[in-house]
């Protein structure tokens, strides 16, 4: 039995992007097939911020194209990288002396597309550098960056880089700011139900009723932490415990705490989770300075969430909270 409002499954990506740019035509546009750009471009003397990734995770990543955020999102088919040639086409569009900074989530297809497109760009005389995200800690506290997946931690990073670029920071300054943030953020996901592939509605993984899996990836990839489902408070405490092993905190530290819904869990549940995590941080004397409870990077109806925790430096707080952003799914009026 069909459970989704779709037309031809082969046209999912093109139709969702057409609807998206129609809804937010004052902020975004389609520059070419599956290439979403700002309606009002940034000046060429500032570094362009570009990302790439498969569709099916809306509003990520195209929902964050706009002033103070991304200049461009290069979109692949459902759960698939866009490919090097399409990304290279976007790099050609944004060629400039200030350069282009690619934000790449650590998934093999995205990394391969980015590396190949960067090589093509270098031969074409296009200045491009990359910053990879690897915020998922499910591989282990001491796991190398290459083994850590990129999850929703890319989104506050994009806000920080977008704001710094608008201020006129050069590409090396942006990389220093971004890599420093990368070292101070950790994300952990939990699921208690599988996502489905929208083209055929097949379950991506088999997760029995009454079981949750801590550490699941954003396409149903296993995380090795299956256990009986426990209460919201106990789940929040368990996840925060893992996150604070990766991000050690002291009394007086200021942090970012986001709870990102993955498509099948209600805002009520997400708020209850956030409540307990906030309480536990407050008990340690840690100030939650930046917070969000919303669906930012989803996984086709997957029941669960991602919890993001980052220790914030003063410049990260300023760039996150005080600088203007105007994208369809991230608006900040600025200081």
């Amino acid at each position: 039995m069909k459970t989704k409002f779709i037309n031809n499954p082969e046209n999912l990506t093109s139709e969702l992007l057409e609807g998206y740019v129609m809804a937010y035509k004052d902020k975004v546009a389609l520059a070419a097939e599956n290439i979403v750009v700002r309606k009002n471009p940034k000046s060429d003397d500032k570094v362009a911020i570009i990302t790439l990734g498969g569709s099916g995770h809306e509003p990520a990543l195209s929902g964050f194209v706009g002033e103070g955020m991304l200049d461009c999102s290069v979109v692949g088919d459902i759960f698939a990288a866009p490919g090097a040639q399409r990304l290279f086409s976007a790099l050609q569009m944004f060629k400039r002396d200030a350069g282009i900074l690619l934000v790449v989530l650590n998934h093999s297809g995205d990394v391969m597309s980015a590396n190949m497109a960067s090589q093509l760009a270098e031969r074409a005389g296009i200045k491009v550098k990359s910053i990879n995200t690897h915020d998922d800690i499910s591989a282990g506290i001491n796991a190398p960056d290459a083994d850590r997946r990129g999850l929703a931690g890319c989104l506050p990073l994009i806000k920080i880089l977008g704001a710094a670029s608008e201020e006129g920071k050069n590409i090396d300054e942006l990389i220093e700011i971004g890599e420093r943030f990368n070292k101070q953020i950790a994300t952990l996901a939990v699921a208690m139900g599988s996502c489905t592939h929208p083209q055929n509605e097949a379950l991506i993984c088999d997760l029995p009723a009454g079981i949750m899996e801590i550490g699941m990836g954003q396409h149903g990839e296993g995380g090795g932490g299956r256990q009986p489902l426990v209460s919201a408070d106990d789940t929040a405490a368990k996840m925060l415990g893992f996150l604070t092993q990766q991000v050690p905190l002291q009394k007086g530290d200021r942090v970012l705490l986001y709870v990102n819904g993955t498509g099948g869990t209600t805002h009520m549940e997400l708020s209850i989770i956030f409540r307990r995590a906030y309480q536990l941080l407050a008990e340690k004397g840690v100030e939650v300075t930046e917070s969000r409870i919303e669906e930012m990077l989803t996984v086709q109806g997957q029941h669960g969430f991602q919890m993001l925790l980052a220790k914030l430096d003063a410049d990260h707080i300023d760039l996150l909270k005080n600088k203007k952003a105007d994208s369809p799914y991230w608006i900040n009026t600025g200081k």
Side-chain angles (χ1 to χ4, degrees):
M1 181 176 69
K2 290 184 177 179
T3 60
K4 292 186 183 296
F5 291 112
I6 62 173
N7 299 309
N8 184 342
E10 300 300 320
N11 298 334
L12 284 176
T13 302
S14 60
E15 291 184 359
L16 80 86
L17 290 177
E18 287 170 11
Y20 167 64
V21 299
M22 288 174 183
Y24 300 104
K25 58 186 177 185
D26 59 328
K27 300 179 191 293
V28 293
L30 275 172
E33 182 182 5
N34 291 17
I35 298 178
V36 179
V37 299
R38 283 172 52 163
K39 183 71 173 182
N40 301 306
K42 181 193 296 173
S43 61
D44 285 350
D45 61 343
K46 297 178 178 177
V47 178
I49 311 295
I50 296 178
T51 195
L52 67 149
S55 54
H57 301 293
E58 289 68 33
L61 293 160
S62 299
F64 305 99
V65 174
E67 181 181 353
M69 299 289 287
L70 292 167
D71 293 274
C72 173
S73 170
V74 184
V75 185
D77 289 332
I78 299 295
F79 298 163
Q85 194 57 53
R86 180 173 292 151
L87 178 56
F88 177 54
S89 296
L91 298 178
Q92 290 176 302
M93 290 180 194
F94 284 87
K95 180 179 180 179
R96 58 192 59 198
D97 291 341
I100 301 167
L101 182 58
L102 278 178
V103 178
V104 184
L105 281 68
N106 189 27
H107 296 280
S108 57
D110 293 333
V111 173
M112 182 181 299
S113 294
N115 289 343
M116 293 176 66
S118 295
Q119 291 172 10
L120 293 171
E122 184 177 354
R123 292 175 199 154
I126 300 171
K127 181 180 179 180
V128 57
K129 296 186 177 182
S130 298
I131 183 166
N132 287 19
T133 72
H134 34 70
D135 50 308
D136 181 13
I137 64 168
S138 63
I141 301 302
N142 296 315
D145 289 348
D147 293 342
R148 299 170 183 263
R149 297 173 290 219
L151 297 180
C154 65
L155 300 172
L157 176 67
I158 285 168
K159 173 64 177 75
I160 287 169
L161 294 176
S165 173
E166 295 282 4
E167 285 191 331
K169 303 285 188 189
N170 66 42
I171 196 164
D172 292 326
E173 290 173 325
L174 292 178
I175 289 173
E176 187 280 324
I177 292 169
E179 291 293 10
R180 181 157 39 87
F181 182 74
N182 267 344
K183 292 177 182 175
Q184 297 175 176
I185 186 170
T187 301
L188 191 60
V190 61
M192 57 176 171
S194 175
C195 59
T196 57
H197 198 293
Q199 288 182 317
N200 55 24
E201 302 208 34
L203 291 173
I204 302 296
C205 71
D206 177 21
L207 196 56
I211 298 295
M212 66 180 188
E213 179 158 354
I214 293 179
M216 181 169 277
Q218 61 191 34
H219 309 91
E221 304 97 329
R226 289 195 177 194
Q227 62 183 73
L229 183 64
V230 297
S231 70
D233 280 0
D234 288 346
T235 303
K238 184 178 286 289
M239 295 182 71
L240 191 67
F242 287 126
L243 292 169
T244 51
Q245 289 180 41
Q246 185 68 52
V247 184
L249 298 174
Q250 297 180 340
K251 184 177 181 179
D253 283 342
R254 294 184 291 178
V255 301
L256 169 156
L257 177 65
Y258 290 175
V259 174
N260 168 57
T262 48
T265 297
T266 66
H267 202 281
M268 173 195 75
E269 296 166 90
L270 301 178
S271 296
I272 292 171
I273 290 288
F274 182 92
R275 163 189 166 276
R276 186 56 184 154
Y278 184 102
Q279 288 174 338
L280 292 170
L281 290 168
E283 290 171 6
K284 295 176 180 290
V286 173
E287 178 188 339
V288 177
T289 302
E290 165 72 5
S291 55
R292 282 178 178 255
I293 306 168
E294 58 186 272
E295 291 188 338
M296 297 178 286
L297 190 153
T298 63
V299 201
Q300 294 299 307
Q302 181 164 294
H303 289 270
F305 62 90
Q306 297 176 13
M307 183 180 288
L308 288 67
L309 178 71
K311 183 177 176 180
L312 297 174
D313 294 338
D315 62 336
H316 292 151
I317 293 172
D318 183 51
L319 294 165
L320 277 166
K321 297 184 70 67
N322 298 332
K323 307 303 179 185
K324 183 179 179 181
D326 190 16
S327 68
Y329 287 88
W330 194 311
I331 295 174
N332 188 331
T333 56
K335 197 171 185 179

